[in-house]
Amino acid sequence: MALFDRNNRKGGLMDEIRCDEPSYLIWKWHPSGVQQGETVRENSIRWGSSLRVKDGEVAVFVYKQKNGTMQDFIVGPFDQIIKTANFPVLSSIIGLAYEGGTPFQAEVYFINLARIIQVKFGVPFFDVYDPRFEDFGVPVAVRGTVSFGIADYREFIKLHRLSSFNLDDFQRQIRDAVCRYVKDAVANAPAKNNIPLVQIESKTAQINDVVEFDIGERLKETFGVVVSGVDIGAIEIDKASDGYRQLMSVTKDIAGATAKAEAEAKIKDIADKQRIEAEHYEESLRVQREEGQYAQHMHTRTANFGAYQVEKQAEVGVAGAEALGQMGANGAGNVNIGGGGGDGTGFNMAAMMASMAVGGAVGQNIAGAMNNMMGGINQQTATGAVPPPIPTIAYHIAVNGQATGPFDIAVLTQMASAGQFTADSLVWKNGMAEWQKAGAVEELKNLFANSMPPIPKN
C-alpha cells in the first residue's frame, strides 16, 4: 500500500520521522523530546509530517486494520511529506481531528541494511578425539569473530518482533549459536576432514572454511542474517594435559615406525629400479652387438656377392655328387616290384627321383666342363698355340655407397632375377666417365625386360 506521494513535498511540518543514531541495527522512532514508551503520542503520525530514509536504510510502518496488522516498507533514499490524501486508510480508522490534523496510529522502525555487526566468540576447552586413538581426549579451545548483516529485511521481520528487539540480546543469541556450531565443527574435523589431532592447530584455515559455510547456512535460517565472514583467530591445544602427552607418546612411536618402513620401502624401490635398469642396459648392449655383427656380415656378403654365389654353387655341386654316390645305398638302384619295403630292399621312388635330378644337374656340369676341355685341346692341337682368353664385360655395382664387383653379364642376370640388381642400381666399368643407372646402359637394360613384377598387396 502506497503511503507517500514521492512528487508532493508541500505542506506544514508537524514531525520529522528520521533516524540519526550513529550505530544501530533496529531502531524505533519516537518524536523529538519524547522518550520511548512515555506516551502513545509516539505512534501518532500526523498530517504534514515528513519522512526521511537514508541510503542503506529501510523504514517499516506497522499499523492495524480490521483484517490485522499491516506493514509498509520504505527503502531509502527517501525524503517526502506525509499528507492525509496519501493515507487512504486514515478515513476508515480516525474519525476525530487531533490538533488540527488527522493522526495516523503507526509504529515506525528503521532497519540498518548497511551495518555489519561483528561478534567475538570464544569456545572454552573441550575434549576432542583422534579417530585413530579414541582412548585419548585432548582439550581444545577456539576463539574468533563472526561478521553478519541484514540483507532480506522482510525475512528478518518474520523471525523477530520489532517491538521487542534488543541488539545486545540479539548479539548474545548469535554468539551462543556460533559457539555451538564451531565446537561441533572442530570436534568432527579430525574424522570428517582427515586431520591428525596433534596437527589441528596448523589446520586453522581449513577448519575455518568448513565453519564459515556451516555457520552461514544456519544463521541465515535461524536468525535471518547473512554472514559476511568468519575468522577463527586460534585453535589451541592444552599441551599440559595428560591426554595430549599420552597421544603424543603413541603417535611418536607410530610415526617412527612408519618413517622407518617408508625409508626401507624407498631403498628397496631404488635398488629394484637400479637392478632393472642394469639388466635392461646389458640386454640393450647384447642386442646392439648382435645387430652390429649381423649388419657387418650382410655388408660383407653384399660386397662379395659374386664369390658368395660361386661358393653356394660349389656346395650344390658337392651335395649333388654325394647324392649321386648314395643312390645305391638308399635303395634307389634296387627295384623289387613284388617285395615289401620294410627291409630297405623295396622300390624307393622319391629317393631315386631326387638322386636322378641331382645327378643329372651334376652330369650336365661335368659334360660342359669336358666339352670345354676337349674343344680347347682340339683347338690347341690344330693351331699349335693356346688362344688368349675371351674378353668379358664386367660392371661394378654401388651398394650402400661402396663399389662392389666387378660382375659379368651372367652374374648380373642372376642378380637381376633375384631382385638384387635393378634398373635403378648405379653401375660403372672401365671406359665410363661416371656412374650411371643400369636401366640407362644399353647392354644392361635388356636384363630387366623380363624381370618378375612385384606381387600386388591385398
Side-chain angles (χ1 to χ4, degrees):
M1 171 176 134
L3 299 179
F4 309 110
D5 182 2
R6 295 176 180 266
N7 298 320
N8 189 346
R9 300 175 57 92
K10 299 179 180 179
L13 176 62
M14 299 301 293
D15 288 313
E16 188 175 59
I17 304 174
R18 58 184 295 172
C19 177
D20 292 326
E21 291 294 311
S23 178
Y24 75 98
L25 190 63
I26 305 294
W27 182 78
K28 182 181 179 181
W29 173 82
H30 55 88
S32 178
V34 178
Q35 297 297 323
Q36 288 189 7
E38 181 178 318
T39 174
V40 294
R41 170 75 176 79
E42 64 184 73
N43 296 332
S44 300
I45 310 303
R46 294 177 297 173
W47 181 90
S49 297
S50 65
L51 174 66
R52 295 181 180 179
V53 185
K54 297 189 293 291
D55 189 16
E57 293 179 341
V58 59
V60 184
F61 283 74
V62 182
Y63 54 94
K64 293 182 179 181
Q65 281 188 329
K66 294 179 181 180
N67 56 350
T69 302
M70 305 296 293
Q71 294 175 345
D72 276 322
F73 302 92
I74 309 299
V75 180
F78 187 88
D79 187 359
Q80 296 292 330
I81 296 175
I82 301 173
K83 284 192 174 183
T84 307
N86 297 330
F87 290 85
V89 71
L90 289 178
S91 60
S92 62
I93 297 178
I94 306 300
L96 299 175
Y98 177 74
E99 295 182 358
T102 302
F104 177 69
Q105 297 296 323
E107 295 178 347
V108 183
Y109 297 89
F110 283 83
I111 301 177
N112 192 342
L113 303 180
R115 183 182 179 187
I116 300 297
I117 305 296
Q118 287 190 337
V119 175
K120 294 184 180 297
F121 64 87
V123 183
F125 283 105
F126 63 99
D127 284 344
V128 179
Y129 293 86
D130 192 309
R132 299 171 300 173
F133 313 100
E134 296 183 352
D135 295 334
F136 309 108
V138 179
V140 176
V142 187
R143 64 177 182 272
T145 304
V146 59
S147 303
F148 62 89
I150 300 175
D152 189 345
Y153 53 87
R154 295 178 183 269
E155 185 67 24
F156 182 83
I157 291 176
K158 290 180 182 179
L159 297 173
H160 305 279
R161 290 179 57 87
L162 295 178
S163 60
S164 60
F165 182 84
N166 181 277
L167 181 58
D168 292 335
D169 293 340
F170 184 68
Q171 290 178 316
R172 183 172 58 255
Q173 294 173 8
I174 292 288
R175 184 182 298 106
D176 293 342
V178 169
C179 287
R180 291 196 305 271
Y181 302 151
V182 170
K183 182 178 180 180
D184 181 66
V186 173
N188 292 315
K192 188 175 181 180
N193 300 290
N194 194 27
I195 298 176
L197 181 53
V198 294
Q199 300 178 11
I200 197 169
E201 291 177 321
S202 63
K203 304 297 182 179
T204 301
Q206 181 178 350
I207 296 176
N208 193 99
D209 293 340
V210 176
V211 170
E212 185 171 22
F213 176 79
D214 189 29
I215 288 179
E217 293 294 321
R218 296 191 182 190
L219 293 189
K220 181 178 180 181
E221 179 180 353
T222 306
F223 296 97
V225 297
V226 176
V227 175
S228 58
V230 175
D231 180 19
I232 295 180
I235 299 177
E236 181 181 355
I237 295 178
D238 184 2
K239 298 181 180 179
S241 64
D242 292 338
Y244 177 78
R245 288 197 299 268
Q246 293 172 350
L247 181 61
M248 284 298 296
S249 177
V250 173
T251 55
K252 182 178 180 181
D253 295 340
I254 295 178
T258 302
K260 181 179 179 181
E262 290 178 350
E264 292 176 352
K266 289 182 179 179
I267 293 174
K268 183 179 182 301
D269 183 58
I270 294 173
D272 291 342
K273 288 182 179 180
Q274 291 177 343
R275 177 179 56 79
I276 294 173
E277 290 176 355
E279 292 175 355
H280 287 176
Y281 181 70
E282 182 179 355
E283 179 67 13
S284 299
L285 290 179
R286 184 188 66 78
V287 172
Q288 292 178 1
R289 182 171 61 253
E290 291 181 355
E291 290 179 348
Q293 291 175 351
Y294 179 77
Q296 183 64 32
H297 175 70
M298 295 302 297
H299 176 72
T300 303
R301 176 181 291 184
T302 302
N304 301 277
F305 180 79
Y308 175 75
Q309 187 176 32
V310 172
E311 178 184 351
K312 293 301 179 182
Q313 290 175 349
E315 291 177 358
V316 173
V318 173
E322 292 177 352
L324 184 63
Q326 295 294 327
M327 287 179 63
N330 293 333
N334 298 329
V335 180
N336 186 355
I337 301 298
D343 57 356
T345 60
F347 184 75
N348 192 337
M349 180 62 72
M352 185 183 76
M353 293 300 294
S355 299
M356 290 177 63
V358 175
V362 174
Q364 290 179 359
N365 290 336
I366 295 175
M370 293 299 294
N371 290 333
N372 291 336
M373 291 175 62
M374 293 302 296
I377 294 174
N378 293 335
Q379 185 176 7
Q380 183 178 1
T381 303
T383 61
V386 178
I390 299 174
T392 60
I393 301 173
Y395 286 85
H396 293 271
I397 302 176
V399 178
N400 295 329
Q402 296 184 359
T404 61
F407 306 107
D408 58 20
I409 297 299
V411 174
L412 294 177
T413 301
Q414 295 178 0
M415 293 174 65
S417 299
Q420 297 173 335
F421 180 55
T422 65
D424 292 329
S425 299
L426 296 176
V427 298
W428 179 87
K429 72 172 183 177
N430 290 332
M432 293 177 63
E434 58 185 9
W435 292 82
Q436 297 183 13
K437 291 186 177 181
V441 178
E442 186 66 28
E443 57 187 354
L444 295 180
K445 63 183 180 180
N446 292 331
L447 299 180
F448 314 107
N450 298 323
S451 61
M452 183 181 298
I455 299 175
K457 297 182 179 180
N458 294 332

